[in-house]
Amino acid sequence: MRESTMIANALSPVMGAEILDLDLTKALDSATFEAIHQALLDHLVIVFRNQRLSAAQHVAFSRRFGDLMVHVKTEYLLPNQPEVLVLSNKKHSDGRPVGFEDAGRYWHSDMSYVEEPPLGSLLHAIEIPPEKGDTLYCNMYMAYEALSAATKRRLEGLQASHSYLASFEGKTKSGYARDTLTEEQKAQLQEVTHPVVRTHPKTGRCALYVNPGFTVRLEDLPKDEAAELLGELLNQVSKPEFQFRHVWQPHDLVFWDNRCTMHHATPYDTQFTRHMHRTTVKGDRPFAA
Ligand code: OGA
Ligand code: MN
């Protein structure tokens, strides 16, 4: 097989890389596809600059990595392309929001509340404000590795429950518009359990897999101990030394690995438009090796 000439430039010592000189509207040869996949595993968050992708091209590129997932908030999916979730502060002419206005303003790993959570998400910036609205990322390998040996031992075999409803109960949100769910949407959202420390299926490395957005409880421990330990872990994964800040440029496509990162949206001046499309690639059921 031909070697790829693609170059991924690291953006920080913690994670993140920028990939220039690729046009994702064009068909990808398998060497370039492999190089992109490897860059994701090596850098956790990869940024493709200046991608003028249609929704169909965004979907086609994303599909190379696996089946795509459809978000429970069907009102924010593109009508002809349900694999695309819209994040936007635009309104339809009747005043209804076009997309999620305030998605993810708390630390989370996308859809950790399903049995087979996504391996990654691809977010395309179509229109962005002149400043702010950055996205923060946390390296969950580093967060795990930095724990004391004693804490790592306490986490062996431990499971945690994840629930989407938690983020709607005001537990994780503060001070901004609260979205709603229909009874039908709620019915689709059962709580699930995942190991607290998961083994990345491709790299074999251990990563913490708890997040303030959706992790509601640690299982099989006395209640007080569970709450105290979860608090300690959520504190661990919020530390700045594990973080990377992505400052958006128009037409960035950012691909992050949900198995070993969390992310956090930040506010911006809503007199400006922020309009983005997300696809979500299905992953495996998390396991602890
Ligand atoms: C997401 C998300 C963060 C942002 O698309 O999953 O959390 O900054 N987005 O828009
Ligand atoms: Mn998210």
Side-chain angles (χ1 to χ4, degrees):
M1 194 168 70
R2 186 179 73 74
E3 282 280 296
S4 168
T5 54
M6 192 199 88
I7 295 172
N9 298 310
L11 288 169
S12 87
V14 173
M15 73 181 125
E18 178 182 57
I19 296 174
L20 306 168
D21 302 327
L22 257 194
D23 179 355
L24 300 177
T25 65
K26 305 255 159 59
L28 284 185
D29 58 54
S30 53
T32 308
F33 170 78
E34 282 307 326
I36 293 171
H37 185 231
Q38 194 57 50
L40 179 72
L41 298 180
D42 293 343
H43 299 283
L44 290 58
V45 177
I46 53 179
V47 181
F48 301 93
R49 299 288 187 192
N50 199 27
Q51 300 297 325
R52 314 251 163 181
L53 297 172
S54 67
Q57 288 164 333
H58 180 180
V59 165
F61 174 63
S62 306
R63 249 200 233 297
R64 294 285 301 262
F65 298 89
D67 290 339
L68 302 187
M69 301 172 80
V70 173
H71 202 273
V72 64
K73 293 286 284 179
T74 47
E75 59 271 42
Y76 298 150
L77 307 177
L78 279 190
N80 302 317
Q81 207 95 61
E83 306 89 344
V84 175
L85 176 70
V86 180
L87 276 66
S88 185
N89 61 343
K90 287 192 192 179
K91 300 274 196 289
H92 290 292
S93 51
D94 63 3
R96 274 182 308 119
V98 164
F100 259 118
E101 285 199 44
D102 54 6
R105 292 223 188 131
Y106 44 87
W107 283 109
H108 65 286
S109 174
D110 289 328
M111 298 175 73
S112 72
Y113 49 83
V114 300
E115 275 192 8
E116 295 182 321
L119 69 84
S121 305
L122 297 98
L123 188 59
H124 186 215
I126 296 165
E127 204 175 334
I128 55 163
E131 57 167 5
K132 302 197 180 153
D134 305 339
T135 307
L136 304 176
Y137 292 88
C138 173
N139 183 328
M140 300 293 269
Y141 293 134
M142 283 186 168
Y144 172 72
E145 285 157 11
L147 293 170
S148 69
T151 302
K152 286 178 184 161
R153 263 196 309 279
R154 284 178 80 190
L155 301 183
E156 276 173 28
L158 220 56
Q159 299 271 326
S161 289
H162 295 243
S163 160
Y164 188 52
L165 297 175
S167 70
F168 280 82
E169 284 160 2
K171 186 169 132 321
T172 55
K173 291 186 167 194
S174 53
Y176 63 97
R178 198 175 292 172
D179 220 321
T180 54
L181 285 170
T182 63
E183 288 308 311
E184 195 185 335
Q185 286 169 331
K186 283 185 189 165
Q188 289 173 43
L189 295 162
Q190 307 294 332
E191 233 173 70
V192 300
T193 62
H194 294 306
V196 169
V197 180
R198 70 181 290 188
T199 305
H200 193 293
K202 298 290 178 201
T203 66
R205 292 175 71 187
C206 291
L208 267 181
Y209 195 63
V210 288
N211 66 79
F214 307 128
T215 311
V216 287
R217 147 174 44 78
L218 299 182
E219 298 300 331
D220 301 325
L221 286 179
K223 213 166 171 212
D224 287 355
E225 193 185 336
E228 177 271 317
L229 184 54
L230 182 59
E232 183 185 329
L233 297 178
L234 297 184
N235 177 50
Q236 175 76 351
V237 299
S238 311
K239 288 183 181 166
E241 61 258 44
F242 308 130
Q243 291 173 18
F244 163 70
R245 174 181 290 265
H246 176 62
V247 181
W248 291 89
Q249 293 179 18
H251 310 292
D252 277 351
L253 176 74
V254 177
F255 187 3
W256 61 85
D257 190 329
N258 276 303
R259 299 165 294 193
C260 53
T261 66
M262 302 188 298
H263 56 282
H264 189 311
T266 63
Y268 57 94
D269 183 341
T270 52
Q271 70 172 303
F272 300 107
T273 298
R274 189 176 190 268
H275 185 78
M276 301 191 167
H277 282 175
R278 188 183 103 192
T279 54
T280 315
V281 185
K282 190 166 167 294
D284 306 320
R285 184 153 198 174
F287 63 89

